[in-house]
Amino acid sequence: MLENVEDTSTVSWLSHGRAFLVRRPTEFTSKIMPRYFRQTKLTSFQRQLNLYGFRRLTQGADSGAYYHELFLKGRPQLCLRMQR
């Protein structure tokens, strides 16, 4: 999803490629989520992220972004090691 999104002002990787940020939640749920997910509520998406071990960063410059040690930009093969 992050590699295919044309409008990076809605959702995008952070510059270091170790986390992603949903910049415009309303647009994200109405335009992007229906293309990739069955749910269309942001809270459901966040719950799924939590189930897979993603953490929301709450401090520093990356505040509000989602991070997982096996979810890195340009390394999709690492996702295969994620467990629910």
Side-chain angles (χ1 to χ4, degrees):
M1 170 190 70
L2 291 168
E3 302 299 329
N4 296 331
V5 172
E6 301 87 22
D7 183 10
T8 58
S9 65
T10 303
V11 60
S12 65
W13 287 103
L14 295 181
S15 59
H16 49 66
R18 293 184 306 244
F20 72 94
L21 181 62
V22 176
R23 300 174 194 279
R24 294 184 183 164
T26 306
E27 275 186 46
F28 179 71
T29 57
S30 65
K31 296 180 181 177
I32 295 172
M33 281 184 62
R35 283 193 248 163
Y36 296 97
F37 307 104
R38 283 181 277 185
Q39 71 262 15
T40 56
K41 294 183 180 177
L42 187 60
T43 54
S44 297
F45 177 72
Q46 292 169 328
R47 191 175 309 113
Q48 288 296 314
L49 289 176
N50 288 333
L51 287 172
Y52 280 93
F54 280 81
R55 297 291 168 241
R56 189 160 188 198
L57 304 174
T58 59
Q59 296 177 349
D62 299 338
S63 181
Y66 295 95
Y67 163 81
H68 190 289
E69 63 184 14
L70 297 174
F71 194 71
L72 303 173
K73 184 176 183 179
R75 305 217 28 217
Q77 70 279 6
L78 290 176
C79 293
L80 299 174
R81 295 175 38 202
M82 286 183 183
Q83 294 182 356
R84 190 171 173 177

